[in-house]
Amino acid sequence: MAEAERIIGTPDTPDGDDEQTAAAGAPAGSGADGGPGEAGADERRAPEPPRTGRGRRIAVLFAVAVFAYALDLVSKLLVVSRLEGHAPIRLVGDLLELHAIRNPGAAFGFGAAFTIIFTLIAAAVIVVIIRLARKLYSFPWAVALGLLLGGALGNLTDRIFRAPGVFEGEVVDFIAPKGFAVFNLADSAIVCGGILIVLLSFRGLDPDGTVHKD
């Protein structure tokens, strides 16, 4: 068949038919010469540029968490070995002392009857932070979540490994300001992280780096 067409030839097609055929083959809503219609379609199909920097933000989150956790762990080991069972150490007169106690409740000694519940809450917070890290593109949020994660891990370690038993362990507290509850560095990290999150929320900054205005 191809050989026959080569010998016989094909009839000429008028220019008008060529233009109609070209126009029929062109995408709807676009000009044959690549006019504004075609450009608009390309703009609609153009993918958004990929966001970068998530890996660095996640690294910041876990670096802050590891630092806060290590600082809390080392401080508690020192307190248990050198301060527990001894008289409080005064740092700033009567305003600030180091006084080792065991706390079965939440931060600052609240809720001593709900040790297991606070343990489960701390574990849930850790899971939520790790899941949220997948959408993290904000440096301030990375620092805030890192503080929360490190503090939650610090107190959860006490809940699991200290007496009287697994998930019922008492947290080691030792920072005792005058007229205030005794707390530890993990509590401080949690409070600082929470305050930073509140400030970021007031500014309209989301964990994914977007800024919204209500």
Side-chain angles (χ1 to χ4, degrees), residues 49-57 136-139 208-209:
R51 305 186 69 178
T52 59
R54 186 183 67 173
R56 292 192 296 272
R57 303 301 184 265
L136 187 62
Y137 288 92
S138 168
F139 179 83
D208 62 0

Side-chain angles (χ1 to χ4, degrees), residues 94-177:
D94 293 335
L95 298 179
L96 180 63
E97 295 180 343
L98 296 182
H99 180 199
I101 66 169
R102 296 295 181 105
N103 174 23
F108 310 114
F110 298 116
F114 303 98
T115 303
I116 295 180
I117 294 177
F118 291 130
T119 302
L120 296 177
I121 291 175
V125 169
I126 292 171
V127 172
V128 170
I129 292 174
I130 293 175
R131 290 177 61 87
L132 186 60
R134 297 181 300 175
K135 301 179 180 180
L136 187 62
Y137 288 92
S138 168
F139 179 83
W141 270 95
V143 174
L145 294 178
L147 290 171
L148 286 180
L149 181 59
L153 284 172
N155 284 338
L156 184 61
T157 300
D158 285 356
R159 301 292 187 193
I160 295 175
F161 295 105
R162 297 194 186 278
V166 178
F167 300 125
E168 296 181 349
E170 297 177 345
V171 175
V172 176
D173 289 337
F174 58 93
I175 304 173

Side-chain angles (χ1 to χ4, degrees), residues 70-110:
L71 201 61
D72 177 71
L73 184 62
V74 171
S75 66
K76 288 174 179 175
L77 291 175
L78 292 174
V79 167
V80 170
S81 63
R82 301 187 180 184
L83 186 59
E84 203 167 41
H86 295 78
I89 298 176
R90 292 185 177 182
L91 296 181
V92 186
D94 293 335
L95 298 179
L96 180 63
E97 295 180 343
L98 296 182
H99 180 199
I101 66 169
R102 296 295 181 105
N103 174 23
F108 310 114
F110 298 116

Side-chain angles (χ1 to χ4, degrees), residues 1-8:
M1 186 67 179
E3 184 66 15
E5 289 180 354
R6 185 182 65 80
I7 297 174
I8 298 174

